[in-house]
């Protein structure tokens, strides 16, 4: 008697995960061929060593590039285990961890825009690893994907607006590690207040903002107790010195401050930048709040992320990993041309084409090079303009919050 064949579902090869793993493998080989140093990971390691040795965290200059500490003290506390690992092992674990985080980030991005098919995440991740912000995040051993995952986990896990004791935990912890995600807390607070002004109770946004504030305050106060001198230096001095992170005009800086530095040909566009950043923050948060109050959380979250990137003193190209949910949102909502254009910008490695390096050529750009040097920021600004009147796609429903 012939044994029956197993059902097709049991015989099907998981093509999407296999393709994703192949893509990741080729990516790792390319990174190895490029001899990437994971230089930011080495800075994190040096910060952890400085804390363990009782050194001055904000006097630290790490690696051959003499890079300073720029994150709040709590981040350095998290980095204290890193010096215990061999450098080669640390680099391998960081790369593997970032690749796993990329898959999670893609899945959360698709959940945000209402796309429920799990298999799609593997296909998107297989392609997303080659876009410039993700490539550079892994090249430097950065924590951008970890922070983005914490933010999206927090903003996509309770769509019905019910009570959730963990609401705000991801946002607050992310902001305690790096200040930029704190704008999401401001967005939640502004949304709750706007809802009250129009006669509502401001829930669940005010509760979510309170949770984020607590989740930020607890680790920050813990760091202040463990590292009092470093905490004092950071919160009274280092946090106000934007130049510590690098030169404003560097072509990799795609924040408004970098754009203005290159357009105006000045290394410190202080006055114009403060004015433009304040205006961009007000307009961007207005777009995000309006979208949230209309039940368009995906538009709201992406608008808030773009606003944070634009108004931050420094937004290096690897900070723009938020291009992944941006493209997913535009595509699923029927803005196919805008999605393809955004994808082209972030997969073109265009900032690398602009003259940069010793001699500060970014201060003397002209014509095509000047245009190429502002494309990430321009793409973010155009997204905010489009987000003012979002139109949901016919087949997708995004995460919604109901008061």
């Amino acid at each position: 008697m012939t044994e029956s064949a197993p059902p097709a579902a049991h015989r099907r090869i998981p093509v999407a995960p296999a393709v994703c793993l192949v893509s990741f493998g080729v990516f790792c080989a390319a990174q190895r061929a490029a001899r990437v140093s994971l230089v930011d990971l080495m800075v994190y390691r040096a910060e952890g060593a400085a804390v363990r040795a009782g050194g001055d965290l904000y006097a630290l200059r790490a690696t051959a590039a003499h890079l300073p500490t720029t994150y709040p003290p709590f981040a350095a506390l998290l980095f204290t285990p890193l010096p215990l690992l061999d450098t080669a092992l640390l680099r391998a674990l960081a790369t593997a961890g970032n690749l796993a985080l990329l898959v999670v980030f893609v899945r959360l991005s698709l959940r945000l825009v209402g796309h429920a098919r799990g298999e799609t995440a593997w296909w998107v991740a297989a392609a997303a690893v080659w876009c410039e912000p993700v490539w550079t995040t892994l090249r430097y051993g950065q924590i951008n994907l970890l922070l983005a995952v914490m933010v999206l986990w927090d903003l996509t896990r309770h769509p019905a607006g019910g009570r959730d004791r963990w609401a705000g935990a991801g946002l607050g912890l992310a902001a305690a590690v790096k200040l930029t995600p704190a704008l999401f807390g401001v967005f939640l607070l502004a949304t709750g207040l706007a809802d009250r002004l129009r006669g509502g109770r401001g829930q669940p946004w005010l509760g979510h903002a309170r949770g984020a504030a607590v989740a930020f305050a607890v680790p920050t106060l813990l760091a202040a107790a463990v590292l009092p001198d470093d905490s004092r230096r950071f919160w009274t001095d280092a946090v106000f010195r934007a130049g510590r992170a690098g030169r404003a005009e560097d072509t990799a800086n795609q924040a408004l401050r970098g754009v203005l530095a290159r357009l105006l040909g000045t290394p410190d566009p202080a006055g114009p930048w403060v004015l433009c950043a304040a205006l961009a923050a007000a307009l961007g948060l207005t777009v995000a709040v309006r979208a949230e109050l209309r039940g368009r959380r995906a538009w709201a979250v992406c608008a808030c992320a773009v606003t944070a990137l634009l108004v931050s003193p420094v937004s290096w190209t690897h900070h723009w990993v938020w291009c992944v949910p941006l493209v997913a949102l535009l595509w699923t909502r029927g803005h196919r041309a805008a999605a393809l254009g955004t994808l082209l910008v972030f997969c073109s490695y265009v900032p690398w084409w602009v003259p940069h390096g010793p001699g500060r050529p970014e201060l003397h750009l002209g014509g095509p090079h000047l245009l190429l040097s502002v494309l990430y920021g321009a793409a973010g600004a155009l997204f905010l303009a489009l987000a003012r009147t979002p139109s949901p796609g016919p087949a997708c429903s995004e995460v919604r919050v109901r008061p």
Side-chain angles (χ1 to χ4, degrees):
M1 190 170 180
T2 306
E3 185 176 328
S4 60
H10 292 169
R11 291 186 284 108
R12 189 177 66 176
I13 299 174
V15 177
V19 170
C20 186
L21 288 176
V22 170
S23 179
F24 284 2
V26 175
F27 173 88
C28 290
Q31 291 265 26
R32 193 176 303 111
R35 298 187 178 184
V36 297
S37 62
L38 278 73
V39 63
D40 287 345
L41 178 64
M42 295 301 103
V43 175
Y44 303 155
R45 189 174 191 267
E47 290 179 25
V51 170
R52 295 173 68 90
D56 186 341
L57 190 60
Y58 294 98
L60 175 70
R61 292 296 182 272
T63 75
H66 302 288
L67 297 175
T69 301
T70 58
Y71 295 170
F74 177 66
L77 287 181
L78 297 181
F79 298 149
T80 52
L82 301 185
L84 301 177
L85 299 176
D86 174 74
T87 300
L89 176 61
L90 178 60
R91 287 173 172 162
L93 290 175
T95 299
N98 262 332
L99 290 172
L101 284 168
L102 175 59
V103 176
V104 177
F105 180 50
V106 169
R107 294 202 65 156
L108 290 173
S109 298
L110 294 176
R111 179 195 296 178
L112 179 71
V113 303
H115 190 95
R117 288 186 59 192
E119 186 178 79
T120 306
W122 296 104
W123 292 108
V124 174
V129 73
W130 296 98
C131 77
E132 192 274 338
V134 176
W135 167 281
T136 311
T137 288
L138 276 92
R139 174 191 181 190
Y140 292 148
Q142 262 282 344
I143 59 172
N144 306 305
L145 289 169
L146 174 61
L147 299 178
V149 163
M150 293 169 71
V151 169
L152 280 188
W153 171 81
D154 200 330
L155 292 171
T156 60
R157 65 186 306 269
H158 39 79
R163 300 181 66 87
D164 183 351
R165 63 178 180 174
W166 296 107
L171 291 179
L173 284 173
V177 174
K178 187 174 182 179
L179 291 180
T180 310
L183 192 67
F184 286 96
V186 176
F187 150 71
L188 291 170
L189 176 62
T191 305
L193 294 176
D195 185 60
R196 280 193 171 182
L197 286 175
R198 66 178 194 172
R201 297 180 56 207
Q203 295 295 339
W205 302 286
L206 293 178
H208 202 159
R210 282 194 297 269
V214 171
F216 170 79
V218 170
T220 300
L221 291 174
L222 172 64
V226 178
L227 303 171
D229 291 336
D230 289 323
S231 294
R232 177 181 54 80
R233 290 189 190 96
F234 180 80
W235 294 109
T236 62
D237 179 41
V239 70
F240 301 108
R241 291 198 282 152
R244 285 175 51 83
R247 293 172 175 169
E249 78 276 6
D250 193 316
T251 187
N253 182 12
Q254 292 293 311
L256 277 173
R257 182 166 168 263
V259 169
L260 289 171
R262 292 187 291 274
L263 289 176
L264 301 176
T266 174
D268 185 19
W273 169 63
V274 170
L275 180 62
C276 290
L279 182 61
L283 293 176
L285 284 173
T286 298
V287 170
V289 169
R290 288 180 62 186
E292 179 74 4
L293 290 175
R294 292 174 177 175
R296 308 282 196 256
R297 169 150 286 197
W299 288 98
V301 170
C302 289
C304 188
V306 167
T307 302
L309 290 167
L310 289 175
V311 303
S312 175
V314 174
S315 290
W316 303 123
T317 60
H318 53 77
H319 295 161
W320 288 78
V321 293
W322 285 94
C323 65
V324 174
L326 257 65
V327 171
L329 176 61
L330 292 170
W331 184 267
T332 57
R333 296 305 183 270
H335 299 286
R336 300 296 170 84
L340 291 174
T342 303
L343 183 65
L344 177 62
V345 166
F346 289 103
C347 289
S348 63
Y349 291 67
V350 68
W352 296 18
W353 306 355
V354 180
H356 57 279
R360 309 179 81 165
E362 298 97 327
L363 293 175
H364 309 286
L365 298 176
H369 282 148
L370 189 59
L371 177 63
L372 293 176
S373 77
V374 303
L375 280 186
Y376 282 21
L382 289 173
F383 174 83
L384 288 179
L386 186 61
R388 291 181 60 193
T389 54
S391 55
C396 289
S397 60
E398 62 193 54
V399 172
R400 294 175 182 265
V401 173
R402 297 187 295 272

